[in-house]
Amino acid sequence: MPIITILPHAQLCPEGKTIEIEEGKSLCEALVENEVEIEHACEMSCACTTCHVVVRQGFNSLNESTDDEEDLLDAAWGLEATSRLSCQVKLGKQDITIEIPKYTINHARENH
């Protein structure tokens, strides 16, 4: 099973975290299930950018992004070449390291 390393985030994961997840699972679901309360204002339907992450290692092992995801990412805060919407990422066999950006474009944080 792949291991996800989450780099420290001041609010969502201050210590950082390492979790083991089954292959094929949504990254956003895996984070939420493991008490990393990443925003997902559209309920993981690829309609917003609140679950934006930057993949620091293992980017090429992930499923390819769709045109819809790419269009949404253009509006994400802190966009990088290895940015993805975590709700659209399906975990492969390889371990990955992610960083959750400091900000989202939301004006108010959702409580999930």
Side-chain angles (χ1 to χ4, degrees), residues 39-41 50 104-112:
E39 291 187 57
H40 50 285
T50 59
T104 72
I105 61 171
N106 263 7
H107 295 291
R109 178 161 164 68
E110 300 287 329
N111 291 323
H112 291 282

Side-chain angles (χ1 to χ4, degrees), residues 13-58:
C13 194
E15 305 286 321
K17 195 170 201 170
T18 301
I19 54 178
E20 191 173 5
I21 302 299
E22 64 264 14
E23 184 181 341
K25 187 164 193 89
S26 155
L27 176 58
C28 191
E29 287 177 323
L31 293 171
V32 171
E33 287 172 6
N34 285 274
E35 299 175 356
V36 178
E37 295 187 19
I38 189 166
E39 291 187 57
H40 50 285
C42 71
E43 295 300 321
M44 303 181 212
S45 66
C46 194
C48 72
T49 63
T50 59
C51 70
H52 169 228
V53 297
V54 179
V55 182
R56 296 292 180 205
Q57 291 182 320

Side-chain angles (χ1 to χ4, degrees), residues 4-10 12-13 16-17 27 31 36 38 50-57 77-80 82-86 96-104:
I4 303 169
T5 301
I6 302 112
L7 299 176
H9 181 281
L12 303 179
C13 194
K17 195 170 201 170
L27 176 58
L31 293 171
V36 178
I38 189 166
T50 59
C51 70
H52 169 228
V53 297
V54 179
V55 182
R56 296 292 180 205
Q57 291 182 320
W77 185 90
L79 183 67
E80 295 189 24
T82 58
S83 287
R84 293 292 305 269
L85 298 180
S86 64
I96 64 170
T97 299
I98 64 162
E99 181 177 354
I100 301 170
K102 185 175 181 177
Y103 302 108
T104 72

